[in-house]
Amino acid sequence: MTNDLIEKSKKHLWLPFTQMKDYDENPLMIESGNGIKVKDINGKEYYDGFSSVWLNVHGHRKKELDDAITNQLGKIAHSTLLGMTNVPATELAEKLVEISPEQLTRVFYSDSGAEAMEIALKMAFQYWQNRGKSNKQKFVSMRNGYHGDTIGAVSIGSIDLFHHVYGPLMFKGFKAPIPYVYRSNSSDPAVCRDECLHILEQLFVEHHHEIAALSIESMVQGAAGMIVMPDGFLAGVRKLCTKYDVLMIVDEVATGFGRTGRMFACEHENVQPDLMAAGKGITGGYLPIAVTLTTEEIYEAFYDDYQTLKTFFHGHSYTGNQLGCAVAMENLRLFDSEKIVGDVARKSNDLHAMLRDLQSLAHVGDIRQLGFMCGIELVQSKETKAPFPAHKRVGYQVSLKMRELGMLTRPLGDVIVFMPPLVSSKKELKEMVAIMKEAIDLCTSEVSSAVEH
Ligand SMILES: *Cc1c(COP(=O)(O)O)cnc(C)c1O
């Protein structure tokens, strides 16, 4: 029966971000989950060390979340948001506005982070058109940025491995540098930060009249390898956007909902975005809901008699889905009653101390962390920071070893990702870090001796 299912998966499935040849060699099928662990069809248990790709908050099979969905099912599963609304979508919008940066007052729903970013782009673009400033059509995005996989989101992304092949399909825009302290000329974060801000300002001086908006991940570039921005960078970008009349789109899809020890990561720097995309943790990792929040000023540029054609002509079949909104509401209620955000901030300090223990390993080059968002960059040489040869796929080997040892995660190149569910206890964090340490140690010593000989 078990093998039968695996064979069917190999025969019929095509998995996202997956070389299917890898899957065929190392298949895995999850059947159930409980707390911060998931179980495969053979009954083997794994820690969910990456929150099922950065989503999970309260663990799996959280009773309150399960009940929220069943209760909503007793009323209705879905009705459209085109031209009308529903109860949970309305209640959730009110709650989101309450917990978001103050100037964000309007909520536009979608089903994924990529769509939330597409919507932010289209809103920013049309905002200037509606206001009669039709020359403001271009976007500035950050090097190594990642905002999802639809073509608009890919156009403002710049991770070569994922995006290069689609070059001819993308719309053109400006790319601005981001401070990546570990791999920059100066090891002083403030120097890196100021260099990047200076280049951004030069770009604005020359081109602001044709720039609609800038897009940036909030505080941490996730897919780029968990690159944490130096203090003052995000606030510096905000200042420049205001000065040069460029809208600021902040991508909180990965960082939002407590992940970094604040409800939204831009709170670390008191940044007020003009548009903010969120998703992932919004439903506790249960259902596909995403949101784009914006200001009253942007909303008002679309509000007019129909004949002016200022309507935002965008929507999806499942926009504002009741089941998703109901579970998101319950998720946010649990954030309050279980004091999740403060708890993550506190436990992050413990986690910081645990991760320091990895520093002694021969091939751990850099450990980056903001809250429960961590990346461990493996290198061939700590001295020169030289990476391992890419074809060795060290990050991938380490993740397979971790799987064997009872924990799931997905690497970003040779950066090991650690993003445990927010409710992970100190004891669980310790056990997960121990698995990481063992796997890194085993795999990197194997590879490096193979490289040397
Ligand atoms: C995951 C992610 C996205 C895309 O979200 P999807 O729901 O996968 O489409 C966008 N931006 C960031 C920063 C992300 O981490």
Side-chain angles (χ1 to χ4, degrees):
M1 175 64 187
T2 322
N3 278 338
D4 211 37
L5 268 173
I6 293 282
E7 283 318 307
K8 282 181 188 169
S9 76
K10 290 183 180 179
K11 188 159 174 221
H12 297 297
L13 280 174
W14 190 347
L15 306 178
F17 270 104
T18 303
Q19 172 50 259
M20 290 307 288
K21 193 157 183 265
D22 287 344
Y23 175 78
D24 286 350
E25 282 163 19
N26 292 291
L28 174 63
M29 190 178 293
I30 300 300
E31 187 172 53
S32 62
N34 195 10
I36 68 159
K37 285 188 172 171
V38 295
K39 200 189 270 186
D40 72 15
I41 48 170
N42 298 312
K44 183 172 163 74
E45 282 196 316
Y46 310 86
Y47 277 116
D48 191 352
F50 64 157
S51 297
S52 297
V53 188
W54 319 0
L55 310 172
N56 196 278
V57 175
H58 308 284
H60 299 278
R61 300 240 40 218
K62 177 79 177 170
K63 183 165 188 319
E64 290 87 339
L65 297 181
D66 294 0
D67 290 347
I69 294 176
T70 349
N71 290 340
Q72 180 58 42
L73 265 176
K75 295 176 190 140
I76 188 172
H78 180 76
S79 65
T80 187
L81 228 60
L82 272 62
M84 62 188 79
T85 184
N86 67 53
V87 177
T90 306
E91 287 172 346
L92 178 60
E94 181 192 29
K95 182 71 187 168
L96 287 169
V97 167
E98 183 195 310
I99 62 171
S100 301
E102 203 177 295
Q103 73 173 28
L104 301 173
T105 55
R106 291 280 165 180
V107 178
F108 196 100
Y109 286 107
S110 56
D111 321 331
S112 69
E115 287 166 288
M117 283 304 291
E118 293 279 340
I119 286 161
L121 292 176
K122 287 174 75 179
M123 276 180 180
F125 183 89
Q126 193 176 341
Y127 166 77
W128 294 111
Q129 302 298 308
N130 284 0
R131 285 196 40 197
K133 293 205 175 182
S134 54
N135 49 343
K136 278 171 95 64
Q137 296 195 357
K138 295 203 170 135
F139 291 91
V140 178
S141 51
M142 312 314 284
R143 292 228 174 91
N144 293 322
Y146 175 80
H147 302 287
D149 299 321
T150 53
I151 290 296
V154 164
S155 296
I156 55 163
S158 79
I159 295 189
D160 225 39
L161 177 66
F162 308 160
H163 298 153
H164 176 75
V165 64
Y166 304 112
L169 285 181
M170 296 182 204
F171 61 75
K172 298 212 172 354
F174 301 106
K175 299 281 182 224
I178 195 102
Y180 182 177
V181 179
Y182 180 64
R183 295 212 173 269
S184 76
N185 298 327
S186 170
S187 58
D188 181 350
V191 172
C192 288
R193 172 195 68 205
D194 293 344
E195 268 175 19
C196 291
L197 288 174
H198 178 73
I199 295 170
L200 180 63
E201 178 149 27
Q202 292 312 110
L203 178 70
F204 280 173
V205 166
E206 254 179 78
H207 294 285
H208 69 95
H209 59 278
E210 51 173 332
I211 296 174
L214 168 143
S215 63
I216 185 168
E217 284 161 86
S218 193
M219 295 303 293
V220 186
Q221 282 193 313
M226 302 297 157
I227 298 167
V228 182
M229 299 170 195
D231 289 347
F233 182 70
L234 198 71
V237 171
R238 170 70 270 184
K239 240 168 126 180
L240 291 175
C241 286
T242 305
K243 184 171 171 192
Y244 292 95
D245 209 14
V246 167
L247 296 174
M248 185 184 193
I249 302 171
V250 170
D251 182 345
E252 289 267 2
V253 174
T255 50
F257 301 101
R259 178 52 62 183
T260 70
R262 298 291 180 97
M263 184 54 88
F264 295 101
C266 58
E267 292 169 26
H268 287 284
E269 304 239 310
N270 290 315
V271 161
Q272 295 279 337
D274 298 295
L275 295 130
M276 182 174 98
K280 291 200 166 115
I282 190 171
T283 60
Y286 265 56
L287 285 169
I289 294 280
V291 286
T292 309
L293 277 80
T294 192
T295 62
E296 216 51 24
E297 189 189 338
I298 291 179
Y299 174 77
E300 275 167 9
F302 293 74
Y303 191 92
D304 209 335
D305 293 327
Y306 183 80
Q307 291 77 357
T308 62
L309 299 182
K310 290 180 178 169
T311 306
F312 188 52
F313 289 109
H314 184 111
H316 302 281
S317 308
Y318 285 98
T319 294
N321 173 261
Q322 277 100 324
L323 292 178
C325 290
V327 76
M329 262 316 270
E330 183 58 23
N331 174 40
L332 293 178
R333 202 191 57 74
L334 288 171
F335 262 89
D336 285 339
S337 66
E338 300 193 357
K339 301 189 171 47
I340 299 288
V341 178
D343 221 33
V344 171
R346 247 187 323 280
K347 287 184 294 190
S348 301
N349 294 326
D350 301 320
L351 180 56
H352 184 80
M354 295 174 203
L355 289 173
R356 230 178 355 219
D357 190 38
L358 301 181
Q359 208 120 48
S360 60
L361 295 179
H363 297 278
V364 169
D366 194 24
I367 299 174
R368 300 184 281 269
Q369 181 202 3
L370 191 65
F372 272 19
M373 208 166 169
C374 317
I376 294 140
E377 184 164 340
L378 305 178
V379 290
Q380 172 138 316
S381 159
K382 279 168 98 151
E383 234 159 75
T384 64
K385 302 183 181 175
F388 282 107
H391 71 270
K392 296 281 177 195
R393 303 184 72 197
V394 172
Y396 180 66
Q397 300 306 333
V398 172
S399 73
L400 283 181
K401 180 61 76 180
M402 278 196 267
R403 188 198 284 191
E404 204 183 300
L405 297 172
M407 172 164 139
L408 300 182
T409 184
R410 256 180 84 85
L412 295 156
D414 286 345
V415 176
I416 304 304
V417 170
F418 185 50
M419 305 244 304
L422 302 189
V423 294
S424 305
S425 69
K426 213 170 147 175
K427 177 167 168 285
E428 290 166 328
L429 290 171
K430 227 178 210 158
E431 285 173 17
M432 287 187 276
V433 172
I435 291 176
M436 247 188 325
K437 186 175 182 187
E438 189 180 346
I440 291 172
D441 199 20
L442 283 170
C443 293
T444 52
S445 44
E446 253 168 49
V447 174
S448 74
S449 59
V451 168
E452 278 152 26
H453 298 142

